[in-house]
Every structure is written in structure tokens, then in C-alpha cells.
Amino acid sequence: QVLLVESGGESVQTGGSLKLSCRISGFTYSSGCLAWFRQAPGKEREGVARINIRGGSTLYADSVKGRFTISRDFAQNLVYLEMSGLKPEDTARYYCALRETGGYCSFEMRHFAYWGQGTQVTVSS
């Protein structure tokens, strides 16, 4: 059984930094991708960053390019999201998600079969 557990969310001030972690269990890392999504109150869930399991290529939402970095450490069964230059509009619940199937990995949520419970990030001005 695949399980994703996020951690690292906190309340920070504008301009601050955070590093979120997603611990993965029950997955063989054969193909697919891992991604971070976020959902703010009253808004739709949106993709933030993703990393391919094979090759490690990354994709970022325009709103976070240059500020967020996704990385993986499969030896430790972890995926990270390093966030800097945080803004109030980054306030949201952040979710880790896993897509097992191959092919181009976009932020289309229907392709992600496994989701964590999320971790809350609050950025105050």
C-alpha cells in the first residue's frame, strides 16, 4: 500500500523560507512522477512542482519559478519542496502526490492516484 506523509508546514513571514518533506512508503520507484500541489481556501487545487522518478526532470508553476525547488532522495524515501521568498499568496495546504504511470507528467490531477493529507503553510505580511 502506497502511503505519502507530508511535514514541514509552518507559519512564516513574507520573504521567509520553508522546506517541506514528503515521506513515501510502499512504492517501487519504477516510473511516473511525484508532485506538490497546493490548495488555498476557496480556490482550486493547483500544481506547484513535479519531479520525474526516472531522470529527475522538473516542472514548476509560473507562480513559483525561481523561488521553489523540488528534489528527491529515494534512498531516504523522501521528496522535498524548498520554498524561499514566500509571499502571502503562497498560503495554502500543500499536498504531495504520486503518479505511477509513465508518459509526460503534467499537473493533471486525475493522473495522480496517491495523495498525502497535506501540510499547512501560512505566510503573513
Side-chain angles (χ1 to χ4, degrees):
Q1 179 183 359
V2 177
L3 188 63
L4 307 174
V5 180
E6 305 94 333
S7 62
E10 290 182 13
S11 294
V12 297
Q13 293 190 329
T14 297
S17 300
L18 279 176
K19 184 175 183 178
L20 305 183
S21 300
C22 174
R23 182 166 295 280
I24 308 150
S25 59
F27 182 59
T28 59
Y29 304 112
S30 57
S31 64
C33 63
L34 286 146
W36 287 93
F37 289 78
R38 68 184 180 186
Q39 188 166 20
K43 294 189 176 181
E44 293 186 354
R45 192 170 297 190
E46 63 175 354
V48 175
R50 74 98 170 109
I51 187 165
N52 282 353
I53 289 169
R54 289 186 176 179
S57 65
T58 57
L59 174 70
Y60 295 94
D62 288 343
S63 59
V64 306
K65 278 181 184 176
R67 300 189 299 122
F68 290 13
T69 302
I70 188 171
S71 61
R72 70 199 203 285
D73 182 352
F74 288 155
Q76 299 294 324
N77 296 320
L78 289 166
V79 174
Y80 301 104
L81 184 67
E82 294 184 80
M83 307 183 292
S84 62
L86 284 162
K87 307 174 182 179
E89 51 264 44
D90 294 317
T91 295
R93 191 163 186 85
Y94 284 71
Y95 299 87
C96 180
L98 168 66
R99 169 179 167 167
E100 288 187 295
T101 55
Y104 179 74
C105 188
S106 66
F107 290 129
E108 196 165 356
M109 287 188 287
R110 64 186 177 93
H111 292 307
F112 289 83
Y114 302 99
W115 294 79
Q117 294 299 306
T119 185
Q120 179 67 34
V121 173
T122 303
V123 184
S124 58
S125 57

